[in-house]
Amino acid sequence: MDSKVINLKDKLTKFSDHWSPRVIAEMNDYQFKLAKFKDDFVWHDHQDTDEVFLVLHGAMSIEFTDKTVELKEGDMYVVPKGVKHKPYAPQECHVLLVEPRGVVNTGESGSHLTAQNDIWI
């Protein structure tokens, strides 16, 4: 078994781009990704999968068509598959995402914020 300790704080120092998740580990077909959020993202959904947001540092919101969910450091939220949402962070926020391998950050929406997939740090 090739296991090693992954230090999230160290990994977060290795990139500065906002809205560009970086893969840090895999478990079965799921990837653990770190991302830095700041300002508005785009409205999107993921038709085939739920999406987990775990706030490591800072605070963020997830807007839905009928409500807004506020997340602070230590909070986790699962967006159900097929639900349109738009993340937002007024200040830089560090987030751990858990989703299946190959999920595109903007779903089917497409945008200038669509990040390259499967970038490992």
Side-chain angles (χ1 to χ4, degrees), residues 1-8 10-11 14 23-26 32 120-121:
M1 182 165 96
D2 185 25
S3 294
K4 61 182 175 179
V5 173
I6 298 168
N7 185 283
L8 302 182
D10 177 58
K11 294 290 187 183
K14 299 188 180 302
V23 181
I24 59 166
E26 285 188 341
F32 294 80
W120 284 77
I121 56 169

Side-chain angles (χ1 to χ4, degrees), residues 5-66:
V5 173
I6 298 168
N7 185 283
L8 302 182
K9 287 182 181 181
D10 177 58
K11 294 290 187 183
L12 283 160
T13 67
K14 299 188 180 302
F15 68 101
S16 59
D17 301 349
H18 295 125
W19 307 111
S20 295
R22 302 299 202 273
V23 181
I24 59 166
E26 285 188 341
M27 179 187 72
N28 301 320
D29 293 332
Y30 279 80
Q31 291 183 325
F32 294 80
K33 300 175 181 179
L34 290 177
K36 294 180 178 181
F37 294 175
K38 187 166 189 279
D39 298 323
D40 272 320
F41 197 53
V42 296
W43 283 100
H44 69 286
D45 62 20
H46 302 285
Q47 286 298 311
D48 299 322
T49 186
D50 300 337
E51 183 176 25
V52 174
F53 293 82
L54 173 59
V55 177
L56 303 172
H57 173 76
M60 64 172 287
S61 302
I62 305 174
E63 292 182 42
F64 297 94
T65 56
D66 62 341

Side-chain angles (χ1 to χ4, degrees), residues 39-115:
D39 298 323
D40 272 320
F41 197 53
V42 296
W43 283 100
H44 69 286
D45 62 20
H46 302 285
Q47 286 298 311
D48 299 322
T49 186
D50 300 337
E51 183 176 25
V52 174
F53 293 82
L54 173 59
V55 177
L56 303 172
H57 173 76
M60 64 172 287
S61 302
I62 305 174
E63 292 182 42
F64 297 94
T65 56
D66 62 341
K67 67 180 177 181
T68 300
V69 173
E70 305 288 336
L71 302 173
K72 61 186 181 315
E73 197 168 303
D75 289 344
M76 184 178 94
Y77 190 81
V78 179
V79 176
K81 69 179 174 181
V83 175
K84 270 206 176 301
H85 60 286
K86 182 175 73 83
Y88 171 81
Q91 310 294 315
E92 186 172 89
C93 176
H94 301 167
V95 178
L96 177 70
L97 303 166
V98 182
E99 53 197 18
R101 186 182 308 119
V103 169
V104 176
N105 69 328
T106 55
E108 301 296 319
S109 299
S111 162
H112 70 284
L113 293 174
T114 300

